[in-house]
Amino acid sequence: MAIIRELRGFTPKFGKDCFLAENAAIIGDVTMGDDCSIWYGTVLRGDVNTIKIGDRVNIQDGAVVHTLYERSVSEIGDDVSVGHNAIIHGAKIGNNVLIGMGAIIMDNAVVPDNTIIAAGAVVLSNAVLEPGVYAGIPAKKVKDSSQAVYEAAHKNAQGYLMYKEWYKE
């Protein structure tokens, strides 16, 4: 069973039909929607501020979601994939977003709906992005949003709905 820890009077809350890997750590002020999957070695550390996660979100192996004490919260919309070893630190992530492996999204950044953040990209603090595809350090827009971007992000999230069911059997 995952490490689920109450801290400072906050107990993590989970929606229906979620998969939590045995060594995932979910701590404090974390609220998660339905049909989510939190994979191996992932840390959701709601110790110093709030983490809100929507429905059908997958946060993959080794990813970290955290915040700044009393200065930022992490909000993740619906149908979001957070890639292996990615970091979300006090940022707002819209719906239908794919955050690539090893990407970093810093405090008070805003990633809008139907956006892809490429593997290894770094979205700096306070950046407010437009829908599209972003890559590089710091992350720059390399492609406008389109139906293809929507479908790529959505397909990834849908795949993880299937994968989590394999682990729940």
Side-chain angles (χ1 to χ4, degrees):
M1 174 183 243
I3 301 163
I4 300 169
R5 181 169 178 195
E6 179 274 335
L7 187 69
R8 297 179 53 225
F10 295 100
T11 301
K13 297 175 182 71
F14 306 97
K16 297 178 295 201
D17 203 27
C18 292
F19 166 72
L20 308 175
E22 294 85 353
N23 67 344
I26 301 131
I27 301 157
D29 191 4
V30 177
T31 303
M32 185 180 307
D34 297 335
D35 288 311
C36 293
S37 56
I38 309 302
W39 293 88
Y40 295 90
T42 294
V43 177
L44 308 179
R45 209 173 99 206
D47 55 353
V48 298
N49 218 330
T50 302
I51 297 171
K52 294 180 184 177
I53 299 169
D55 297 328
R56 298 171 305 280
V57 172
N58 63 88
I59 303 179
Q60 299 168 21
D61 313 72
V64 174
V65 181
H66 195 234
T67 66
L68 279 175
Y69 182 63
E70 298 180 347
R71 292 182 34 215
S72 67
V73 299
S74 287
E75 296 179 41
I76 300 173
D78 299 331
D79 301 298
V80 173
S81 295
V82 178
H84 311 288
N85 292 315
I87 299 170
I88 297 173
H89 202 278
K92 181 175 182 174
I93 310 300
N95 300 313
N96 203 61
V97 171
L98 171 58
I99 297 173
M101 295 180 280
I104 300 171
I105 317 296
M106 292 302 298
D107 295 284
N108 300 306
V110 177
V111 177
D113 298 351
N114 307 318
T115 295
I116 295 175
I117 306 298
V122 177
V123 177
L124 299 177
S125 295
N126 303 309
V128 178
L129 308 183
E130 298 175 357
V133 178
Y134 290 79
I137 302 172
K140 301 283 185 203
K141 189 174 186 181
V142 296
K143 186 175 182 180
D144 288 333
S145 193
S146 64
Q147 186 64 27
V149 170
Y150 167 83
E151 288 172 6
H154 195 71
K155 182 179 179 182
N156 192 283
Q158 291 299 301
Y160 271 85
L161 289 173
M162 178 177 67
Y163 307 153
K164 78 175 176 69
E165 294 303 319
W166 298 345
Y167 286 81
K168 291 173 61 186
E169 293 176 355

